[in-house]
Amino acid sequence: MDDREIVKRISEIIGSDKTADDCAKIIVGDKILAVSTDMLHEKTDFPKGITDWQIGWMSAAVTISDIASTGAKPVSLLLAAGLDNPDRIEDIIRGADSACRKYGAEFSGGDVDSHSELTIVTTGIGITDSEHYVSRTGAKPGEIVCVCGNLGHAQAGLLGDMRYFKDLCEPQPKVFEGMRLSECKVSCMMDISDGLAISLFDLSDANNCGFEIDKNLVSLSDGIDFETAFYGGGDFGLLYTCQKSLFEENNLPGLKLGVVTEKKGVRISGKNAEKRGYSHTWN
Amino acid sequence: MDDREIVKRISEIIGSDKTADDCAKIIVGDKILAVSTDMLHEKTDFPKGITDWQIGWMSAAVTISDIASTGAKPVSLLLAAGLDNPDRIEDIIRGADSACRKYGAEFSGGDVDSHSELTIVTTGIGITDSEHYVSRTGAKPGEIVCVCGNLGHAQAGLLGDMRYFKDLCEPQPKVFEGMRLSECKVSCMMDISDGLAISLFDLSDANNCGFEIDKNLVSLSDGIDFETAFYGGGDFGLLYTCQKSLFEENNLPGLKLGVVTEKKGVRISGKNAEKRGYSHTWN
């Protein structure tokens, strides 16, 4: 079983509207709160060689990235830490607080207790207004699909390319880009933290549409191959769809990858893509 | 080192205003959000014999109780679960969802992954307006101190009195009582989940005041002694201070325990109380 199957089971209890997006959407007066929570563990989520400051940064960044994908402005972050060693907390807090400051959020406190394996859960709250909230649904055939952010950097860092190790440990959520994209009313958006390929499949499922990706449009950084860029996880870019004219007239951040199609699934220059990426599994 | 010392270290990084209360206070337009996050682990937080449904209920209830202590109305709850066995998630979600429904909140989703020891983090959001938000500070000498809710039930259940085992596993946050107390503008409030005694010491520290408790006013349920009622943790009552006239004229929920004094510390019928209760420790 993997986490996508678990989410399916949960959606049968609480409703699929509650599990479809990375953020919960909560209405407060004329504002919308985008709220997201993420759990990370030392062994499964933090790469070897990462510092405690970077663990704090990364923990904040994963949640801030979920908020960015709705176009909301991050305002507050809470952090719960299960600590194997209490001396680690100060650097973790400093790292999380730095990420909050960079993206305009307040580090608002949290909870600590002792635990055998370092475990961190961050919960972030973003604010936007109802006309600018962007969800995973809204893609329409004929639109273009675009990505904003580097591809494969984190995966390359994980595979040992030290030029990209900092990209792996200090991911940079696309908060300001997300706010710009929501102002311009892109059709749908999500972050690509589990990998570009699996995120395209997620959007395909959410929108009952497909994607035809032009392999030549997938931008490759120095030393990074297509496999790493397309299937690797840990980069915090934003994947979105919109009308081609909207993209061009507003000079939207990011690059075009291909087009939205009626037929479900993901194709790369005509061939079916593999549905794989980052996923938690239970054996 | 215990968790109160850790919180002190964190407050030196992010400011003591962020760590003083169980909830973060976030301003959204003319509303105040009360946000709280709590981490629970199978071995240290869930009693033997508890069901997965009750684990879900308890996880939601601890956070809902933090919100209740501000007088806010709970509106949304997120749950992150690190699962040793994916089959446990459905009952956990059902229990958490039931607690949310009882107290008027929406179960809004969360995060799941695999973990060696079951670990659950709930984050709750409550809403109130700025004139009704109640914090831990505001107690004034001459006021009375009161508690709303049962004392020692959870501790008795933990110690093997099966009459109280359900009180231990299905704590009942005082949400509606908290909203009533905030409407009537009590001076300060907190929940007593770590125990009545340690909560009085926490209020003493936060308000630079003390408490003179009348031992005869500590209400004892059947089979529960003073020690268990005063020092035991796990009950989700509300501890608050207010003017005696406010208490009497409004028929406020709860019972008077004693008075607020100038001198710091906690005294029970003239003797110093011990500063102990539930606390996480690291060795």
Side-chain angles (χ1 to χ4, degrees), chain A residues 6 9 26 39 41 76 82-83 86-87 90 111 113-115 117 123 282, chain B residues 6 9 26 39 41 76 82-83 87 90 111 113-115 117 123 282:
Chain A
I6 294 249
R9 288 201 199 177
I26 298 159
M39 176 176 275
H41 306 289
S76 171
L83 296 167
D87 292 331
E90 287 164 284
D111 190 23
D113 66 10
S114 58
H115 191 46
E117 182 188 353
T123 305
W282 285 264
Chain B
I6 294 248
R9 288 200 198 177
I26 298 158
M39 176 177 276
H41 306 288
S76 170
L83 296 166
D87 291 332
E90 287 165 284
D111 191 22
D113 66 10
S114 58
H115 191 44
E117 182 188 353
T123 304
W282 286 263

PDB file of all heavy atoms in Angstrom, chain A residues 6 9 26 39 41 76 82-83 86-87 90 111 113-115 117 123 282, chain B residues 6 9 26 39 41 76 82-83 87 90 111 113-115 117 123 282:
ATOM      1  N   ILE A   6      -3.872   5.159   0.782  1.00  0.00           N
ATOM      2  CA  ILE A   6      -4.364   5.538   2.111  1.00  0.00           C
ATOM      3  C   ILE A   6      -5.291   6.753   2.001  1.00  0.00           C
ATOM      4  O   ILE A   6      -6.355   6.802   2.622  1.00  0.00           O
ATOM      5  CB  ILE A   6      -3.190   5.914   3.035  1.00  0.00           C
ATOM      6  CG1 ILE A   6      -2.327   4.695   3.299  1.00  0.00           C
ATOM      7  CG2 ILE A   6      -3.720   6.539   4.315  1.00  0.00           C
ATOM      8  CD1 ILE A   6      -2.389   4.182   4.705  1.00  0.00           C
ATOM      9  N   ARG A   9      -8.708   5.819   0.982  1.00  0.00           N
ATOM     10  CA  ARG A   9      -9.509   5.270   2.084  1.00  0.00           C
ATOM     11  C   ARG A   9     -10.032   6.383   2.990  1.00  0.00           C
ATOM     12  O   ARG A   9     -11.175   6.351   3.443  1.00  0.00           O
ATOM     13  CB  ARG A   9      -8.656   4.351   2.958  1.00  0.00           C
ATOM     14  CG  ARG A   9      -8.311   3.038   2.318  1.00  0.00           C
ATOM     15  CD  ARG A   9      -7.952   2.082   3.442  1.00  0.00           C
ATOM     16  NE  ARG A   9      -7.197   0.942   2.993  1.00  0.00           N
ATOM     17  CZ  ARG A   9      -6.736   0.008   3.818  1.00  0.00           C
ATOM     18  NH1 ARG A   9      -6.937   0.123   5.129  1.00  0.00           N
ATOM     19  NH2 ARG A   9      -6.065  -1.017   3.378  1.00  0.00           N
ATOM     20  N   ILE A  26     -10.372  26.980   4.083  1.00  0.00           N
ATOM     21  CA  ILE A  26     -11.267  27.354   5.175  1.00  0.00           C
ATOM     22  C   ILE A  26     -11.703  28.804   4.992  1.00  0.00           C
ATOM     23  O   ILE A  26     -10.861  29.699   4.836  1.00  0.00           O
ATOM     24  CB  ILE A  26     -10.550  27.167   6.534  1.00  0.00           C
ATOM     25  CG1 ILE A  26     -10.198  25.682   6.715  1.00  0.00           C
ATOM     26  CG2 ILE A  26     -11.426  27.655   7.688  1.00  0.00           C
ATOM     27  CD1 ILE A  26      -9.101  25.443   7.700  1.00  0.00           C
ATOM     28  N   MET A  39       4.302  15.811   7.769  1.00  0.00           N
ATOM     29  CA  MET A  39       5.095  15.068   8.755  1.00  0.00           C
ATOM     30  C   MET A  39       6.391  14.562   8.114  1.00  0.00           C
ATOM     31  O   MET A  39       6.359  13.969   7.043  1.00  0.00           O
ATOM     32  CB  MET A  39       4.283  13.883   9.272  1.00  0.00           C
ATOM     33  CG  MET A  39       5.041  12.976  10.223  1.00  0.00           C
ATOM     34  SD  MET A  39       3.995  11.630  10.900  1.00  0.00           S
ATOM     35  CE  MET A  39       3.221  12.448  12.290  1.00  0.00           C
ATOM     36  N   HIS A  41      10.250  12.524   8.975  1.00  0.00           N
ATOM     37  CA  HIS A  41      11.025  11.714   9.916  1.00  0.00           C
ATOM     38  C   HIS A  41      12.497  11.703   9.512  1.00  0.00           C
ATOM     39  O   HIS A  41      12.824  11.764   8.328  1.00  0.00           O
ATOM     40  CB  HIS A  41      10.520  10.271   9.928  1.00  0.00           C
ATOM     41  CG  HIS A  41       9.064  10.148  10.191  1.00  0.00           C
ATOM     42  ND1 HIS A  41       8.501  10.392  11.421  1.00  0.00           N
ATOM     43  CD2 HIS A  41       8.037   9.820   9.367  1.00  0.00           C
ATOM     44  CE1 HIS A  41       7.198  10.195  11.351  1.00  0.00           C
ATOM     45  NE2 HIS A  41       6.886   9.870  10.114  1.00  0.00           N
ATOM     46  N   SER A  76       1.441  32.194   8.872  1.00  0.00           N
ATOM     47  CA  SER A  76       1.796  31.613  10.167  1.00  0.00           C
ATOM     48  C   SER A  76       2.228  30.165  10.006  1.00  0.00           C
ATOM     49  O   SER A  76       1.699  29.433   9.163  1.00  0.00           O
ATOM     50  CB  SER A  76       0.577  31.681  11.092  1.00  0.00           C
ATOM     51  OG  SER A  76       0.801  30.963  12.278  1.00  0.00           O
ATOM     52  N   GLY A  82       9.160  15.903  17.755  1.00  0.00           N
ATOM     53  CA  GLY A  82       9.491  14.787  18.633  1.00  0.00           C
ATOM     54  C   GLY A  82      10.999  14.635  18.574  1.00  0.00           C
ATOM     55  O   GLY A  82      11.562  14.332  17.521  1.00  0.00           O
ATOM     56  N   LEU A  83      11.665  14.897  19.702  1.00  0.00           N
ATOM     57  CA  LEU A  83      13.131  15.067  19.697  1.00  0.00           C
ATOM     58  C   LEU A  83      13.837  13.870  20.324  1.00  0.00           C
ATOM     59  O   LEU A  83      13.539  13.491  21.458  1.00  0.00           O
ATOM     60  CB  LEU A  83      13.492  16.304  20.516  1.00  0.00           C
ATOM     61  CG  LEU A  83      13.000  17.653  19.994  1.00  0.00           C
ATOM     62  CD1 LEU A  83      13.161  18.711  21.080  1.00  0.00           C
ATOM     63  CD2 LEU A  83      13.770  18.042  18.746  1.00  0.00           C
ATOM     64  N   PRO A  86      17.210  16.834  23.037  1.00  0.00           N
ATOM     65  CA  PRO A  86      16.639  18.184  23.161  1.00  0.00           C
ATOM     66  C   PRO A  86      17.567  19.289  22.665  1.00  0.00           C
ATOM     67  O   PRO A  86      17.103  20.365  22.310  1.00  0.00           O
ATOM     68  CB  PRO A  86      16.370  18.318  24.663  1.00  0.00           C
ATOM     69  CG  PRO A  86      17.227  17.306  25.322  1.00  0.00           C
ATOM     70  CD  PRO A  86      17.384  16.173  24.359  1.00  0.00           C
ATOM     71  N   ASP A  87      18.875  19.016  22.610  1.00  0.00           N
ATOM     72  CA  ASP A  87      19.817  20.048  22.162  1.00  0.00           C
ATOM     73  C   ASP A  87      19.667  20.382  20.682  1.00  0.00           C
ATOM     74  O   ASP A  87      20.224  21.372  20.211  1.00  0.00           O
ATOM     75  CB  ASP A  87      21.256  19.603  22.441  1.00  0.00           C
ATOM     76  CG  ASP A  87      21.543  19.564  23.933  1.00  0.00           C
ATOM     77  OD1 ASP A  87      20.914  20.344  24.679  1.00  0.00           O
ATOM     78  OD2 ASP A  87      22.376  18.739  24.354  1.00  0.00           O
ATOM     79  N   GLU A  90      17.141  24.029  19.112  1.00  0.00           N
ATOM     80  CA  GLU A  90      17.409  25.437  18.820  1.00  0.00           C
ATOM     81  C   GLU A  90      17.787  25.676  17.350  1.00  0.00           C
ATOM     82  O   GLU A  90      17.267  26.589  16.713  1.00  0.00           O
ATOM     83  CB  GLU A  90      18.479  25.969  19.775  1.00  0.00           C
ATOM     84  CG  GLU A  90      17.902  26.140  21.180  1.00  0.00           C
ATOM     85  CD  GLU A  90      18.953  26.282  22.270  1.00  0.00           C
ATOM     86  OE1 GLU A  90      19.542  25.240  22.632  1.00  0.00           O
ATOM     87  OE2 GLU A  90      19.176  27.404  22.744  1.00  0.00           O
ATOM     88  N   ASP A 111       4.842  22.583  19.520  1.00  0.00           N
ATOM     89  CA  ASP A 111       4.823  21.591  20.593  1.00  0.00           C
ATOM     90  C   ASP A 111       6.129  20.801  20.524  1.00  0.00           C
ATOM     91  O   ASP A 111       6.681  20.614  19.441  1.00  0.00           O
ATOM     92  CB  ASP A 111       3.621  20.639  20.383  1.00  0.00           C
ATOM     93  CG  ASP A 111       3.365  19.717  21.564  1.00  0.00           C
ATOM     94  OD1 ASP A 111       3.781  20.068  22.688  1.00  0.00           O
ATOM     95  OD2 ASP A 111       2.759  18.656  21.376  1.00  0.00           O
ATOM     96  N   ASP A 113       8.112  17.205  22.288  1.00  0.00           N
ATOM     97  CA  ASP A 113       8.199  16.112  23.245  1.00  0.00           C
ATOM     98  C   ASP A 113       9.358  15.214  22.861  1.00  0.00           C
ATOM     99  O   ASP A 113      10.067  15.477  21.892  1.00  0.00           O
ATOM    100  CB  ASP A 113       6.870  15.364  23.411  1.00  0.00           C
ATOM    101  CG  ASP A 113       6.438  14.622  22.175  1.00  0.00           C
ATOM    102  OD1 ASP A 113       7.229  14.515  21.229  1.00  0.00           O
ATOM    103  OD2 ASP A 113       5.304  14.128  22.161  1.00  0.00           O
ATOM    104  N   SER A 114       9.573  14.166  23.657  1.00  0.00           N
ATOM    105  CA  SER A 114      10.704  13.288  23.368  1.00  0.00           C
ATOM    106  C   SER A 114      10.227  12.122  22.515  1.00  0.00           C
ATOM    107  O   SER A 114       9.088  11.662  22.632  1.00  0.00           O
ATOM    108  CB  SER A 114      11.312  12.786  24.678  1.00  0.00           C
ATOM    109  OG  SER A 114      10.346  12.109  25.441  1.00  0.00           O
ATOM    110  N   HIS A 115      11.105  11.635  21.639  1.00  0.00           N
ATOM    111  CA  HIS A 115      10.750  10.559  20.719  1.00  0.00           C
ATOM    112  C   HIS A 115      12.023   9.845  20.284  1.00  0.00           C
ATOM    113  O   HIS A 115      13.086  10.462  20.216  1.00  0.00           O
ATOM    114  CB  HIS A 115      10.008  11.161  19.518  1.00  0.00           C
ATOM    115  CG  HIS A 115       9.357  10.133  18.643  1.00  0.00           C
ATOM    116  ND1 HIS A 115       8.609   9.103  19.150  1.00  0.00           N
ATOM    117  CD2 HIS A 115       9.341   9.972  17.296  1.00  0.00           C
ATOM    118  CE1 HIS A 115       8.158   8.366  18.146  1.00  0.00           C
ATOM    119  NE2 HIS A 115       8.596   8.878  17.013  1.00  0.00           N
ATOM    120  N   GLU A 117      12.893   8.654  17.324  1.00  0.00           N
ATOM    121  CA  GLU A 117      13.414   9.151  16.037  1.00  0.00           C
ATOM    122  C   GLU A 117      12.921  10.577  15.833  1.00  0.00           C
ATOM    123  O   GLU A 117      11.716  10.838  15.965  1.00  0.00           O
ATOM    124  CB  GLU A 117      12.899   8.256  14.903  1.00  0.00           C
ATOM    125  CG  GLU A 117      13.425   8.672  13.538  1.00  0.00           C
ATOM    126  CD  GLU A 117      12.764   7.914  12.379  1.00  0.00           C
ATOM    127  OE1 GLU A 117      11.993   6.970  12.641  1.00  0.00           O
ATOM    128  OE2 GLU A 117      13.015   8.300  11.225  1.00  0.00           O
ATOM    129  N   THR A 123       2.743  22.870  10.397  1.00  0.00           N
ATOM    130  CA  THR A 123       1.426  23.246   9.884  1.00  0.00           C
ATOM    131  C   THR A 123       1.488  24.724   9.520  1.00  0.00           C
ATOM    132  O   THR A 123       1.923  25.543  10.339  1.00  0.00           O
ATOM    133  CB  THR A 123       0.327  23.017  10.934  1.00  0.00           C
ATOM    134  OG1 THR A 123       0.391  21.647  11.359  1.00  0.00           O
ATOM    135  CG2 THR A 123      -1.053  23.299  10.359  1.00  0.00           C
ATOM    136  N   TRP A 282       4.085   1.112   2.600  1.00  0.00           N
ATOM    137  CA  TRP A 282       4.039   0.213   3.758  1.00  0.00           C
ATOM    138  C   TRP A 282       4.190  -1.212   3.257  1.00  0.00           C
ATOM    139  O   TRP A 282       3.524  -1.594   2.290  1.00  0.00           O
ATOM    140  CB  TRP A 282       2.698   0.335   4.469  1.00  0.00           C
ATOM    141  CG  TRP A 282       2.552   1.578   5.264  1.00  0.00           C
ATOM    142  CD1 TRP A 282       2.783   1.736   6.603  1.00  0.00           C
ATOM    143  CD2 TRP A 282       2.127   2.864   4.804  1.00  0.00           C
ATOM    144  NE1 TRP A 282       2.535   3.026   6.980  1.00  0.00           N
ATOM    145  CE2 TRP A 282       2.131   3.738   5.906  1.00  0.00           C
ATOM    146  CE3 TRP A 282       1.754   3.366   3.547  1.00  0.00           C
ATOM    147  CZ2 TRP A 282       1.768   5.080   5.794  1.00  0.00           C
ATOM    148  CZ3 TRP A 282       1.402   4.691   3.445  1.00  0.00           C
ATOM    149  CH2 TRP A 282       1.410   5.535   4.557  1.00  0.00           C
TER     150      TRP A 282
ATOM    151  N   ILE B   6      12.643  23.377  27.594  1.00  0.00           N
ATOM    152  CA  ILE B   6      12.809  23.482  26.135  1.00  0.00           C
ATOM    153  C   ILE B   6      12.061  24.703  25.604  1.00  0.00           C
ATOM    154  O   ILE B   6      12.568  25.454  24.767  1.00  0.00           O
ATOM    155  CB  ILE B   6      12.227  22.232  25.445  1.00  0.00           C
ATOM    156  CG1 ILE B   6      13.039  21.005  25.814  1.00  0.00           C
ATOM    157  CG2 ILE B   6      12.153  22.446  23.946  1.00  0.00           C
ATOM    158  CD1 ILE B   6      13.814  20.413  24.691  1.00  0.00           C
ATOM    159  N   ARG B   9      13.970  27.818  26.062  1.00  0.00           N
ATOM    160  CA  ARG B   9      15.027  27.999  25.057  1.00  0.00           C
ATOM    161  C   ARG B   9      14.449  28.493  23.733  1.00  0.00           C
ATOM    162  O   ARG B   9      15.029  29.332  23.053  1.00  0.00           O
ATOM    163  CB  ARG B   9      15.717  26.662  24.770  1.00  0.00           C
ATOM    164  CG  ARG B   9      16.603  26.168  25.871  1.00  0.00           C
ATOM    165  CD  ARG B   9      17.551  25.174  25.230  1.00  0.00           C
ATOM    166  NE  ARG B   9      18.177  24.306  26.194  1.00  0.00           N
ATOM    167  CZ  ARG B   9      19.008  23.319  25.868  1.00  0.00           C
ATOM    168  NH1 ARG B   9      19.289  23.088  24.590  1.00  0.00           N
ATOM    169  NH2 ARG B   9      19.557  22.565  26.776  1.00  0.00           N
ATOM    170  N   ILE B  26      -3.574  34.626  15.768  1.00  0.00           N
ATOM    171  CA  ILE B  26      -3.311  35.175  14.443  1.00  0.00           C
ATOM    172  C   ILE B  26      -4.476  36.060  14.031  1.00  0.00           C
ATOM    173  O   ILE B  26      -5.635  35.626  14.067  1.00  0.00           O
ATOM    174  CB  ILE B  26      -3.104  34.034  13.426  1.00  0.00           C
ATOM    175  CG1 ILE B  26      -1.879  33.201  13.850  1.00  0.00           C
ATOM    176  CG2 ILE B  26      -2.930  34.561  12.017  1.00  0.00           C
ATOM    177  CD1 ILE B  26      -1.873  31.822  13.278  1.00  0.00           C
ATOM    178  N   MET B  39       1.548  16.929  19.489  1.00  0.00           N
ATOM    179  CA  MET B  39       2.121  15.658  19.026  1.00  0.00           C
ATOM    180  C   MET B  39       1.927  14.575  20.086  1.00  0.00           C
ATOM    181  O   MET B  39       2.228  14.794  21.256  1.00  0.00           O
ATOM    182  CB  MET B  39       3.616  15.858  18.766  1.00  0.00           C
ATOM    183  CG  MET B  39       4.346  14.578  18.370  1.00  0.00           C
ATOM    184  SD  MET B  39       6.116  14.867  17.981  1.00  0.00           S
ATOM    185  CE  MET B  39       6.020  15.391  16.266  1.00  0.00           C
ATOM    186  N   HIS B  41       2.456  10.217  20.866  1.00  0.00           N
ATOM    187  CA  HIS B  41       3.097   8.968  20.442  1.00  0.00           C
ATOM    188  C   HIS B  41       2.450   7.784  21.152  1.00  0.00           C
ATOM    189  O   HIS B  41       2.006   7.899  22.295  1.00  0.00           O
ATOM    190  CB  HIS B  41       4.587   8.982  20.802  1.00  0.00           C
ATOM    191  CG  HIS B  41       5.315  10.164  20.274  1.00  0.00           C
ATOM    192  ND1 HIS B  41       5.602  10.319  18.946  1.00  0.00           N
ATOM    193  CD2 HIS B  41       5.796  11.265  20.893  1.00  0.00           C
ATOM    194  CE1 HIS B  41       6.251  11.463  18.777  1.00  0.00           C
ATOM    195  NE2 HIS B  41       6.378  12.056  19.940  1.00  0.00           N
ATOM    196  N   SER B  76     -11.710  24.051  12.355  1.00  0.00           N
ATOM    197  CA  SER B  76     -11.027  23.125  11.442  1.00  0.00           C
ATOM    198  C   SER B  76      -9.940  22.360  12.170  1.00  0.00           C
ATOM    199  O   SER B  76      -9.271  22.890  13.057  1.00  0.00           O
ATOM    200  CB  SER B  76     -10.407  23.928  10.295  1.00  0.00           C
ATOM    201  OG  SER B  76      -9.557  23.128   9.507  1.00  0.00           O
ATOM    202  N   GLY B  82       1.883   9.280  11.466  1.00  0.00           N
ATOM    203  CA  GLY B  82       2.952   8.358  11.107  1.00  0.00           C
ATOM    204  C   GLY B  82       2.493   6.978  11.550  1.00  0.00           C
ATOM    205  O   GLY B  82       2.334   6.730  12.736  1.00  0.00           O
ATOM    206  N   LEU B  83       2.253   6.092  10.584  1.00  0.00           N
ATOM    207  CA  LEU B  83       1.544   4.838  10.861  1.00  0.00           C
ATOM    208  C   LEU B  83       2.482   3.644  10.861  1.00  0.00           C
ATOM    209  O   LEU B  83       3.198   3.418   9.885  1.00  0.00           O
ATOM    210  CB  LEU B  83       0.481   4.608   9.784  1.00  0.00           C
ATOM    211  CG  LEU B  83      -0.643   5.629   9.703  1.00  0.00           C
ATOM    212  CD1 LEU B  83      -1.409   5.448   8.393  1.00  0.00           C
ATOM    213  CD2 LEU B  83      -1.586   5.467  10.888  1.00  0.00           C
ATOM    214  N   ASP B  87      -3.528  -0.083   8.201  1.00  0.00           N
ATOM    215  CA  ASP B  87      -4.917  -0.461   8.482  1.00  0.00           C
ATOM    216  C   ASP B  87      -5.505   0.268   9.689  1.00  0.00           C
ATOM    217  O   ASP B  87      -6.707   0.224   9.915  1.00  0.00           O
ATOM    218  CB  ASP B  87      -5.016  -1.983   8.707  1.00  0.00           C
ATOM    219  CG  ASP B  87      -4.758  -2.751   7.416  1.00  0.00           C
ATOM    220  OD1 ASP B  87      -5.040  -2.185   6.334  1.00  0.00           O
ATOM    221  OD2 ASP B  87      -4.249  -3.877   7.485  1.00  0.00           O
ATOM    222  N   GLU B  90      -8.139   4.141   9.334  1.00  0.00           N
ATOM    223  CA  GLU B  90      -9.572   4.419   9.184  1.00  0.00           C
ATOM    224  C   GLU B  90     -10.268   4.659  10.531  1.00  0.00           C
ATOM    225  O   GLU B  90     -11.027   5.607  10.683  1.00  0.00           O
ATOM    226  CB  GLU B  90     -10.235   3.306   8.380  1.00  0.00           C
ATOM    227  CG  GLU B  90      -9.842   3.401   6.910  1.00  0.00           C
ATOM    228  CD  GLU B  90     -10.141   2.156   6.108  1.00  0.00           C
ATOM    229  OE1 GLU B  90      -9.384   1.171   6.247  1.00  0.00           O
ATOM    230  OE2 GLU B  90     -11.126   2.159   5.351  1.00  0.00           O
ATOM    231  N   ASP B 111      -2.009  14.563   6.615  1.00  0.00           N
ATOM    232  CA  ASP B 111      -0.868  13.925   5.966  1.00  0.00           C
ATOM    233  C   ASP B 111      -0.686  12.545   6.590  1.00  0.00           C
ATOM    234  O   ASP B 111      -0.966  12.364   7.773  1.00  0.00           O
ATOM    235  CB  ASP B 111       0.395  14.779   6.207  1.00  0.00           C
ATOM    236  CG  ASP B 111       1.580  14.341   5.364  1.00  0.00           C
ATOM    237  OD1 ASP B 111       1.374  13.695   4.317  1.00  0.00           O
ATOM    238  OD2 ASP B 111       2.728  14.640   5.748  1.00  0.00           O
ATOM    239  N   ASP B 113       2.152   9.103   6.644  1.00  0.00           N
ATOM    240  CA  ASP B 113       3.315   8.370   6.157  1.00  0.00           C
ATOM    241  C   ASP B 113       3.586   7.196   7.089  1.00  0.00           C
ATOM    242  O   ASP B 113       2.850   6.970   8.041  1.00  0.00           O
ATOM    243  CB  ASP B 113       4.532   9.275   5.954  1.00  0.00           C
ATOM    244  CG  ASP B 113       5.076   9.857   7.222  1.00  0.00           C
ATOM    245  OD1 ASP B 113       4.650   9.442   8.300  1.00  0.00           O
ATOM    246  OD2 ASP B 113       5.948  10.727   7.134  1.00  0.00           O
ATOM    247  N   SER B 114       4.605   6.410   6.754  1.00  0.00           N
ATOM    248  CA  SER B 114       4.902   5.227   7.564  1.00  0.00           C
ATOM    249  C   SER B 114       5.930   5.586   8.623  1.00  0.00           C
ATOM    250  O   SER B 114       6.798   6.434   8.413  1.00  0.00           O
ATOM    251  CB  SER B 114       5.420   4.096   6.681  1.00  0.00           C
ATOM    252  OG  SER B 114       6.567   4.510   5.973  1.00  0.00           O
ATOM    253  N   HIS B 115       5.816   4.951   9.793  1.00  0.00           N
ATOM    254  CA  HIS B 115       6.707   5.263  10.903  1.00  0.00           C
ATOM    255  C   HIS B 115       6.754   4.058  11.841  1.00  0.00           C
ATOM    256  O   HIS B 115       5.773   3.316  11.941  1.00  0.00           O
ATOM    257  CB  HIS B 115       6.181   6.502  11.645  1.00  0.00           C
ATOM    258  CG  HIS B 115       7.147   7.076  12.629  1.00  0.00           C
ATOM    259  ND1 HIS B 115       8.483   7.235  12.355  1.00  0.00           N
ATOM    260  CD2 HIS B 115       6.979   7.530  13.892  1.00  0.00           C
ATOM    261  CE1 HIS B 115       9.078   7.764  13.409  1.00  0.00           C
ATOM    262  NE2 HIS B 115       8.197   7.944  14.364  1.00  0.00           N
ATOM    263  N   GLU B 117       6.805   3.895  15.143  1.00  0.00           N
ATOM    264  CA  GLU B 117       5.867   4.018  16.263  1.00  0.00           C
ATOM    265  C   GLU B 117       4.738   4.954  15.864  1.00  0.00           C
ATOM    266  O   GLU B 117       4.991   6.057  15.375  1.00  0.00           O
ATOM    267  CB  GLU B 117       6.602   4.603  17.483  1.00  0.00           C
ATOM    268  CG  GLU B 117       5.701   4.713  18.717  1.00  0.00           C
ATOM    269  CD  GLU B 117       6.361   5.473  19.875  1.00  0.00           C
ATOM    270  OE1 GLU B 117       7.553   5.797  19.778  1.00  0.00           O
ATOM    271  OE2 GLU B 117       5.658   5.734  20.858  1.00  0.00           O
ATOM    272  N   THR B 123      -3.555  19.572  14.370  1.00  0.00           N
ATOM    273  CA  THR B 123      -3.492  21.026  14.412  1.00  0.00           C
ATOM    274  C   THR B 123      -4.909  21.542  14.261  1.00  0.00           C
ATOM    275  O   THR B 123      -5.622  21.136  13.345  1.00  0.00           O
ATOM    276  CB  THR B 123      -2.606  21.579  13.285  1.00  0.00           C
ATOM    277  OG1 THR B 123      -1.315  20.974  13.381  1.00  0.00           O
ATOM    278  CG2 THR B 123      -2.464  23.095  13.400  1.00  0.00           C
ATOM    279  N   TRP B 282      13.588  14.407  29.089  1.00  0.00           N
ATOM    280  CA  TRP B 282      14.667  13.784  28.324  1.00  0.00           C
ATOM    281  C   TRP B 282      15.771  13.388  29.291  1.00  0.00           C
ATOM    282  O   TRP B 282      16.110  14.171  30.183  1.00  0.00           O
ATOM    283  CB  TRP B 282      15.261  14.758  27.315  1.00  0.00           C
ATOM    284  CG  TRP B 282      14.398  15.003  26.138  1.00  0.00           C
ATOM    285  CD1 TRP B 282      14.474  14.402  24.931  1.00  0.00           C
ATOM    286  CD2 TRP B 282      13.320  15.941  26.031  1.00  0.00           C
ATOM    287  NE1 TRP B 282      13.499  14.886  24.084  1.00  0.00           N
ATOM    288  CE2 TRP B 282      12.790  15.832  24.737  1.00  0.00           C
ATOM    289  CE3 TRP B 282      12.739  16.853  26.911  1.00  0.00           C
ATOM    290  CZ2 TRP B 282      11.728  16.602  24.287  1.00  0.00           C
ATOM    291  CZ3 TRP B 282      11.674  17.615  26.465  1.00  0.00           C
ATOM    292  CH2 TRP B 282      11.188  17.486  25.165  1.00  0.00           C
TER     293      TRP B 282
END
